[in-house]
Amino acid sequence: MTDNKPAADVTKDWQATQGQKSAATRLRLFAALSWIVAIGGEIAGIVLFYKHKFDQGNLPLLIGILVGIAIFAIAGNLFWKAANRHDPARASDTASFFFQNQLGAIITLIAFLPLIFLILTDKNMDPQTKKVAGGVGAALAVLATVMGVSFKPPSVEQYTQDMNSCAAQIRAGQPTTACSPEVAAQAQEIATDTSAVTAATKDASHPAGQDVVYWIAPENGAAKSSEPHVFHLCAAVSPLKDKTVNSGSVTEAYAQNAIRITKQIEMEQKQCGFAASQ
């Protein structure tokens, strides 16, 4: 059975490559370690407060603790943002999208607010020390929190759009303004495979070829196959015999995890009735 879908050039499911996922995992680990150090600095400061270490001075030590918290919080925020560029969340999942992209700001507030609260409410601290430490702490907290906010966070949907635009620009020989590092490699693969397919599917009715391929449909009606599949030039080729088949553009094939073009192009051209490539 063939499921004839419109050959719209729309990839429904951009996915991070294994390399991108590995890079994101490393960066998130670095972010977590940085945040742990920042919160550890806060805990140390709170312990010193309860030991009354700042009642009669020690302003440089307190400022040092606040600066240390800020440094590690900002480092964690930068690592986390970099990780999200490699492996973004889906904008359609609102809660997850917000939490993943604003986690740095949330952690930064946790690392600062309790200590700043103690500084501003401590009745035993010298007023001048309280004023200076409170001002510095508040300024550092604002700076570090802003560094943790993602104002234009990446998303799977945005990368999908960029990838398709990039692939279209590559195929048309236009300046590749949409080809960010995160989508360029996959867009190049789509563009290359699309060119190969259109070159192999030329006939009297379609002298320029067609961006239409055929692949084994995902199991049990799933959105995409659990294992990578090969896509083919028509539904009549022998590898698709007695299989449930989907059809669409190369980008739609990629969306359903059919990400390898057939290696038997000449054989399939004969089976499909296309002229052999010159």
Side-chain angles (χ1 to χ4, degrees):
M1 182 179 72
T2 301
D3 181 14
N4 291 314
K5 296 183 177 181
D9 191 16
V10 178
T11 303
K12 298 178 181 178
D13 188 20
W14 178 91
Q15 269 198 320
T17 64
Q18 191 59 45
Q20 288 170 321
K21 288 182 178 180
S22 297
T25 299
R26 288 193 302 271
L27 288 165
R28 286 178 178 139
L29 176 60
F30 294 152
L33 292 174
S34 297
W35 287 335
I36 288 171
V37 173
I39 293 175
E42 175 192 41
I43 293 172
I46 292 173
V47 169
L48 292 174
F49 253 98
Y50 281 108
K51 290 184 177 181
H52 303 284
K53 295 294 184 180
F54 305 114
D55 290 356
Q56 302 300 323
N58 284 325
L59 179 60
L61 174 59
L62 182 54
I63 296 298
I65 290 173
L66 292 168
V67 170
I69 293 172
I71 289 172
F72 283 99
I74 290 172
N77 294 343
L78 295 177
F79 284 132
W80 190 260
K81 284 184 177 182
N84 288 341
R85 288 194 293 272
H86 286 290
D87 188 16
R90 290 183 175 276
S92 57
D93 187 346
T94 307
S96 177
F97 184 72
F98 173 83
F99 183 77
Q100 178 169 321
N101 287 293
Q102 310 308 333
L103 182 60
I106 295 170
I107 295 294
T108 299
L109 290 174
I110 292 172
F112 267 106
L113 289 185
L115 185 54
I116 292 175
F117 177 79
L118 280 179
I119 293 172
L120 297 177
T121 59
D122 192 299
K123 296 180 180 179
N124 298 315
M125 183 181 288
D126 174 72
Q128 185 63 25
T129 300
K130 178 186 293 190
K131 181 178 180 180
V132 173
V136 171
L140 290 173
V142 170
L143 173 62
T145 300
V146 170
M147 293 292 289
V149 174
S150 290
F151 294 99
K152 293 183 178 180
S155 67
V156 170
E157 291 85 349
Q158 182 60 54
Y159 279 9
T160 296
Q161 180 180 339
D162 292 348
M163 182 173 66
N164 281 288
S165 297
C166 176
Q169 289 172 347
I170 292 171
R171 292 198 300 270
Q174 299 172 346
T176 51
T177 57
C179 297
S180 66
E182 292 77 20
V183 306
Q186 294 172 62
Q188 181 63 65
E189 292 174 0
I190 292 172
T192 298
D193 286 347
T194 300
S195 296
V197 167
T198 55
T201 56
K202 295 178 181 179
D203 58 20
S205 301
H206 305 90
Q210 306 173 74
D211 179 15
V212 182
V213 293
Y214 300 79
W215 63 94
I216 297 173
E219 304 81 358
N220 303 317
K224 65 183 300 180
S225 298
S226 57
E227 298 293 332
H229 285 303
V230 173
F231 53 83
H232 305 270
L233 302 185
C234 70
V237 297
S238 50
L240 296 179
K241 184 178 180 182
D242 300 325
K243 300 290 194 305
T244 300
V245 176
N246 282 353
S247 67
S249 67
V250 170
T251 50
E252 287 182 306
Y254 268 72
Q256 294 191 11
N257 209 16
I259 57 174
R260 297 197 298 263
I261 190 171
T262 177
K263 294 182 178 179
Q264 305 294 330
I265 288 181
E266 290 189 8
M267 181 193 77
E268 292 198 1
Q269 283 181 301
K270 294 177 182 178
Q271 292 180 349
C272 299
F274 298 119
S277 301
Q278 300 298 317

